[in-house]
Every structure is written in C-alpha cells, then in structure tokens.
Amino acid sequence: LISISSLLLGTTITISSSHWMMAWTGLEINTLAILPLISNPHHPRAIEAATKYFLVQAAASTLLLFSSTTNALFTGQWDITQLTHPTSCLLLTTAISIKLGLVPFHFWFPEVLQGSSLMTSLLLTTAMKFPPITLLLMASPSLNFTLLTTMAIASTALGGWMGLNQTQIRKILAFSSISHLGWMTIIIIYNPKLTLITFYLYCMMTAATLLT
C-alpha cells in the first residue's frame, strides 16, 4: 500500500510541477517506491534487477538535477519550460533518455524486466514511463534535436531487431517498448500531442499482453 501510494504521489508531483527541483523529487520518490515491488519475490534475480534499476535511475536523476542546476546557474531560471543553456539541454536529453531506456542507454531495461514479476513489469513499462515522458513533452522545445533524432532512429531499429531474437515474453515486450519509445521521441519534435496518443495506445497494448 505504501509503495503504490508513493508511486501515485511521485508521478503526480512530477507531472504537475513546473520547477525542476519538484520534478526531480517526484522522480526520486517513484524510483524508491518501485524498488520493493521489483525485489518482492525474494530471489537473487529479483534483487539483481532491483539493484540495476536503482543504479541506472539514480544516475539519470543525478544528471537531470545537474542539468537543471547548470541552467539555473547560467540563466537564473528553474522553470521546466525555460531550459535554454545548450549544455543543460544536452544533459537533460541524455538524462531523460537513460530514464526511459532509449538506445544506447537501453541495456538495463530488458534485464530488469526479466528479473521482475509480470505485474511489476506492467508498472515498469507503463506507469514508470509516464513522468519522464511528461518531462520530455514539457521540455520538448529546448531539447537537443540532433541527439534525440539519432537516439530515436537507433531505438526503433534496434528494438525491432533485438525483439526478433528473443524467446521470452518479457524481453520481447522490453524491446517492443524501446522501439515504441523511438517512435514517440521522434514524433515529439514535430507534434507532442501525437506522442501522448502513441504512449496511451502503447500502454493499452502492453497492459493487455501482460495481464493475459
């Protein structure tokens, strides 16, 4: 109950904030709330998945905080929509890509999903993607387009190819997620609302598959 309510709280804080520090706080609450759920069936693989998830997300959150602090240092702005410093834009694009699992920062995602239970996998592939995608939407005008486009194309290609090579449902879904995220991030440059529609459809399909 505590974990689920913390997940809801963290997501709500992130998607409703306009200040970078609050967005970061929400993401941290989310990360800490999902860890007990990943390591709940208490066996070595689940513990390994939780550890990998924690390390990757902590690194991404630190990078996100560093990028927003750099921007505040140079521009005096903490507003999510006012990210203007080029270095901050580059760092933020990287941080959100790590959080989402875009290529080349995708290595953790299939492994973590494989070590989790099906319901936790459902949370990881849908609910846990929502806060970073919201941040991506809000900061989309100030992101580094070259880097984002490169990662998006690599994600769609690699997600499709690697998915063909798998026999385990959770890994196939993990690579499917990476591929879908590639499409979402490339659309975000041109039409952010389409990204949201794509994300909702992806969530429905993934939920249907995992619940079955």
Side-chain angles (χ1 to χ4, degrees):
L1 183 65
I2 290 171
S3 292
I4 296 291
S5 53
S6 299
L7 268 178
L8 289 169
L9 176 72
T11 305
T12 311
I13 288 173
T14 303
I15 64 177
S16 60
S17 61
S18 59
H19 193 286
W20 276 118
M21 198 62 83
M22 285 304 288
W24 172 78
T25 309
L27 289 171
E28 283 297 304
I29 293 171
N30 255 2
T31 303
L32 293 173
I34 196 86
L35 287 174
L37 296 174
I38 299 173
S39 56
N40 188 21
H42 210 70
H43 56 81
R45 182 170 254 184
I47 302 299
E48 184 192 340
T51 311
K52 280 179 182 172
Y53 185 79
F54 172 70
L55 291 172
V56 170
Q57 295 295 321
S61 293
T62 310
L63 204 55
L64 185 130
L65 192 62
F66 181 58
S67 85
S68 51
T69 311
T70 309
N71 188 63
L73 184 72
F74 284 105
T75 64
Q77 279 284 356
W78 278 101
D79 198 291
I80 290 176
T81 53
Q82 301 294 318
L83 195 78
T84 50
H85 195 261
T87 312
S88 298
C89 297
L90 188 73
L91 286 171
L92 181 83
T93 310
T94 311
I96 294 183
S97 303
I98 297 171
K99 275 209 161 291
L100 287 169
L102 281 171
V103 174
F105 311 109
H106 67 288
F107 298 105
W108 63 274
F109 193 55
E111 298 297 321
V112 169
L113 230 61
Q114 191 55 37
S116 316
S117 67
L118 284 168
M119 287 312 289
T120 312
S121 300
L122 178 60
L123 274 176
L124 284 169
T125 46
T126 56
M128 297 305 287
K129 295 276 166 93
F130 192 48
I133 282 207
T134 311
L135 285 180
L136 205 63
L137 276 167
M138 288 196 281
S140 58
S142 50
L143 294 171
N144 187 308
F145 288 159
T146 315
L147 181 64
L148 206 61
T149 308
T150 311
M151 288 193 295
I153 293 167
S155 298
T156 48
L158 194 126
W161 283 329
M162 293 292 282
L164 292 173
N165 200 25
Q166 303 301 325
T167 53
Q168 293 171 327
I169 292 286
R170 270 169 289 191
K171 278 200 172 174
I172 292 172
L173 283 169
F175 284 113
S176 146
S177 172
I178 292 164
S179 186
H180 277 87
L181 280 168
W183 289 114
M184 286 178 221
T185 43
I186 208 158
I187 300 168
I188 212 165
I189 299 165
Y190 307 103
N191 191 339
K193 283 183 181 172
L194 260 182
T195 296
L196 268 185
I197 295 168
T198 315
F199 179 67
Y200 294 147
L201 284 170
Y202 157 75
C203 284
M204 282 161 62
M205 289 190 299
T206 309
T209 314
L210 281 167
L211 290 170
T212 308

